[in-house]
Amino acid sequence: MASSIPPILSGQEAPSNTSSSYSTSSASDLPPRQTTTPYTPVKPEPLDDDNFFMEGLKEGASFTAVATLVATPVARYRGRPRKHLIPVESTGPRRRTQTGCLTCRKRKKKCDEAKPECKRCVANAYECEYLQKRRFESTKVLTLGRIPLQPIFGLETREDIIFWKHCIEHLGIVLTVEEGRESAFENIMVPIALNHQGLMHSLLSLASKHIAFDAPSGLKILEENPSTTIEALHERSMYHSNAARGSFRDTDTIEDNILARYGQILCFLLEALVEGSSHRPHLSAYRRLITTYTPNDAVFFSFISELFEYYIYADELVHFALDPTSHTVSDRTYPEIIQPRLIGVADGLLDYLSRTTALRDMIRGNMSVAVEAAEIDFAIRHWVPDSSSGNRPEVVGYIYKLMAYIHLLRVLYPPSETTAAIMPLPQAQKLLEAVERSLKLINSLSSRDRRQRLLLLPCFIIGTASVAQKHQDAIRIAIKTIRGYTGMRHVDNVLHVLEEIWQFMGAGEWMAVWDWPGIAHKIDVELIPA
């Protein structure tokens, strides 16, 4: 039997003579519909009992109220779609989310994406599960920053990288004189430092002290590394300095790391020269070590001993002259130099320099020096620089030869109390010619020539004999060029002593000029002209 339903539910317009109210007892109790055409009722769709109750309608309710109540979107069972769709305000194209939980996605339900469990799964007692690796987080699942890696070379900070780069690209070059890009400092010292943390600390400390951050080169480093500051660089420099000395005091590993220990002493010596501080304790440490532990590496032994002996010869120009008992000329323990890199050590020229210095003490004691002086003079005049060093001996070698000659000439002719000149006229003429020839050779070298590294010693000796103002000016320029090339602050001390000597020359105090080591001692300056 076809049931009669209100017109609002069938989608037809209600006739004007239809009553505005109806009884809630039953749909079959309604008065029969007056139609002029056959009416086929539409099968009503099932309603959700949880959302619609016929009993909730009161008698006398208007069709408008009923229509409003029934037209409200309600949950519905699965079945065929409504014939008449309820208009829904559009909010743009709908996209299926890929970020909801797997349970809601399988049940085709909207997920609120709450975590660790969404509200829908909690309300329905379902197991809520999310993807462990989502597409938009694929790059965050594993990052290198979460894996602790130890630095291979012991360089932990950006400041360490700055120091290491300076050590290789600048310091290693100014400390050696080899032609080409590679230096003995890099080829010999660096491989040992890569396997010994104490020497690595020493090299980084040395490099950090060598950088002049108030100079254009230092300011450029700060500009190229905006992630650091000068305060951070100084703090890291102090760290490496303390760590280097702490590792050096570890006496239990001397025999196992003898090469690194020699390398650390060399770094301490060079650091003292960079800062212009006391260098003699490090020379003494080398002398003690060389008499007890001999390096088993012949190439390293040759390199380290030649370098230390060069500085010892230069140091004796002042300190041996003041205290001849502190060290004797024959007290040499260096081996045969396999590949000479410096001038005057392997070929013996600097040995004549020490013997000349010893003559000064003999002259002070009114002792005869005629025989010894004649032998030294003959040896210097017949000395030929060793061409195997690769340092263009026709230039630097002959500068050293003239240096030794000038030093001998100055020592052999001390002024008398009645002489108002530096020495007798014939000897003064020889001295003048030697000084001018030396300065001509020094000026022939470029300010960026690696051999600038070797010129401080001859410039100092020649400066002690430079009486003319033009010669003193030329020495000033030469020493400032050396300072700019090497970056060693002890060069300033050398020039300071020369300025004092030149003042005594201007005052005509020739005996003080002759005994210039006393001037250096009097002004209390750490002096090593090398």
Side-chain angles (χ1 to χ4, degrees):
M1 181 179 74
S3 59
S4 179
I5 62 174
I8 192 64
L9 298 180
S10 65
Q12 297 183 8
E13 294 182 2
S16 58
N17 58 352
T18 303
S19 174
S20 61
S21 62
Y22 61 93
S23 174
T24 60
S25 59
S26 173
S28 59
D29 297 334
L30 295 175
R33 180 182 297 274
Q34 302 295 326
T35 61
T36 59
T37 58
Y39 173 74
T40 302
V42 178
K43 180 180 179 179
E45 297 182 7
L47 300 176
D48 193 337
D49 294 339
D50 294 337
N51 295 280
F52 180 79
F53 299 94
M54 292 294 296
E55 292 79 358
L57 295 177
K58 296 182 180 180
E59 183 176 358
S62 65
F63 283 108
T64 303
V66 174
T68 303
L69 177 63
V70 176
T72 303
V74 295
R76 48 190 289 273
Y77 296 103
R78 287 188 172 279
R80 62 185 180 83
R82 290 187 179 95
K83 181 177 179 181
H84 303 282
L85 299 178
I86 300 174
V88 179
E89 182 179 357
S90 176
T91 59
R94 295 185 60 186
R95 296 180 181 179
R96 187 172 183 177
T97 180
Q98 299 292 329
T99 58
C101 73
L102 294 178
T103 306
C104 289
R105 291 172 64 181
K106 290 178 182 178
R107 298 180 63 232
K108 301 185 183 303
K109 299 296 183 180
K110 182 174 179 59
C111 181
D112 61 7
E113 302 181 28
K115 294 180 180 178
E117 295 178 314
C118 71
K119 294 180 181 180
R120 185 179 291 276
C121 288
V122 172
N124 293 277
Y126 287 116
E127 181 181 357
C128 187
E129 181 182 3
Y130 282 93
L131 279 175
Q132 295 298 319
K133 182 179 179 181
R134 288 181 275 179
R135 286 185 299 175
F136 68 93
E137 290 183 347
S138 59
T139 58
K140 300 180 181 180
V141 174
L142 183 64
T143 59
L144 276 179
R146 299 180 184 177
I147 302 178
L149 297 176
Q150 295 298 322
I152 296 177
F153 301 127
L155 307 175
E156 301 177 356
T157 65
R158 167 53 55 182
E159 292 75 24
D160 293 351
I161 299 297
I162 294 173
F163 298 154
W164 184 245
K165 182 178 180 181
H166 183 80
C167 180
I168 300 299
E169 297 183 355
H170 298 281
L171 192 59
I173 294 176
V174 302
L175 293 179
T176 53
V177 292
E178 288 85 357
E179 297 292 339
R181 296 182 61 85
E182 294 186 355
S183 67
F185 190 84
E186 182 176 350
N187 292 338
I188 296 177
M189 293 283 286
V190 170
I192 301 174
L194 295 179
N195 295 295
H196 190 274
Q197 192 61 36
L199 181 55
M200 177 62 78
H201 285 306
S202 297
L203 286 176
L204 295 178
S205 176
L206 171 61
S208 68
K209 302 294 179 58
H210 186 259
I211 301 175
F213 290 105
D214 55 347
S217 58
L219 295 176
K220 183 178 179 181
I221 291 176
L222 293 174
E223 291 177 0
E224 293 176 347
N225 297 272
S227 61
T228 188
T229 62
I230 192 168
E231 292 78 12
L233 289 165
H234 285 314
E235 181 179 352
R236 194 63 181 173
S237 173
M238 184 61 65
Y239 163 76
H240 287 299
S241 179
N242 295 333
R245 281 154 178 79
S247 65
F248 187 77
R249 288 191 291 267
D250 184 10
T251 57
D252 296 335
T253 59
I254 294 180
E255 296 183 5
D256 296 334
N257 300 288
I258 188 64
L259 301 186
R261 195 164 188 82
Y262 275 105
Q264 284 194 273
I265 295 177
L266 177 59
C267 288
F268 295 153
L269 171 63
L270 296 175
E271 190 172 311
L273 300 183
V274 167
E275 296 183 309
S277 57
S278 179
H279 62 276
R280 302 207 79 204
H282 311 302
L283 294 180
S284 300
Y286 164 78
R287 284 171 170 158
R288 291 191 300 269
L289 189 62
I290 200 68
T291 59
T292 308
Y293 299 98
T294 301
N296 53 12
D297 187 323
V299 175
F300 179 85
F301 192 14
S302 173
F303 162 75
I304 203 77
S305 59
E306 182 186 26
L307 199 54
F308 269 103
E309 289 300 323
Y310 181 82
Y311 285 111
I312 289 174
Y313 277 121
D315 178 73
E316 286 179 346
L317 285 172
V318 179
H319 298 281
F320 179 59
L322 295 172
D323 184 13
T325 62
S326 63
H327 184 58
T328 60
V329 176
S330 59
D331 221 0
R332 300 301 181 195
T333 56
Y334 60 87
E336 179 183 358
I337 307 300
I338 297 176
Q339 182 183 351
R341 295 180 172 87
L342 302 174
I343 300 292
V345 178
D347 50 34
L349 180 65
L350 295 185
D351 189 58
Y352 302 136
L353 209 64
S354 288
R355 292 170 63 181
T356 301
T357 302
L359 293 179
R360 191 189 303 272
D361 187 66
M362 297 173 64
I363 293 174
R364 287 195 193 99
N366 296 321
M367 298 173 61
S368 176
V369 298
V371 175
E372 177 71 5
E375 290 181 357
I376 295 174
D377 177 44
F378 179 84
I380 291 174
R381 287 185 293 105
H382 289 81
W383 176 83
V384 178
D386 185 3
S387 59
S388 64
S389 63
N391 293 319
R392 298 181 185 178
E394 70 277 6
V395 179
V396 181
Y398 283 107
I399 292 175
Y400 270 65
K401 183 173 184 174
L402 288 166
M403 169 195 70
Y405 178 79
I406 291 171
H407 186 50
L408 177 62
L409 191 59
R410 285 286 289 110
V411 169
L412 290 178
Y413 292 95
S416 63
E417 295 180 359
T418 60
T419 303
I422 189 171
M423 60 178 59
L425 185 58
Q427 286 73 27
Q429 187 62 34
K430 294 178 183 179
L431 182 66
L432 179 62
E433 292 176 358
V435 168
E436 290 181 342
R437 291 172 62 188
S438 301
L439 292 175
K440 185 176 180 179
L441 291 174
I442 291 173
N443 293 334
S444 69
L445 299 177
S446 167
S447 61
R448 302 307 303 169
D449 195 304
R450 290 192 177 206
R451 291 167 293 177
Q452 291 286 343
R453 164 77 174 80
L454 301 173
L455 295 184
L456 185 59
L457 180 58
C459 281
F460 177 75
I461 295 297
I462 296 168
T464 62
S466 296
V467 181
Q469 183 66 44
K470 63 177 182 178
H471 297 159
Q472 295 175 5
D473 293 339
I475 290 294
R476 285 191 186 94
I477 295 174
I479 291 181
K480 290 179 180 179
T481 301
I482 296 169
R483 172 68 166 87
Y485 177 79
T486 63
M488 299 291 193
R489 297 178 183 87
H490 83 288
V491 177
D492 299 333
N493 295 343
V494 174
L495 183 58
H496 179 48
V497 172
L498 282 177
E499 294 287 356
E500 292 292 326
I501 294 173
W502 292 336
Q503 286 188 13
F504 280 93
M505 284 184 181
E509 299 184 25
W510 300 110
M511 180 53 84
V513 173
W514 177 82
D515 204 7
W516 57 261
I519 297 177
H521 180 70
K522 182 178 180 180
I523 63 177
D524 192 23
V525 171
E526 282 291 337
L527 178 65
I528 179 170

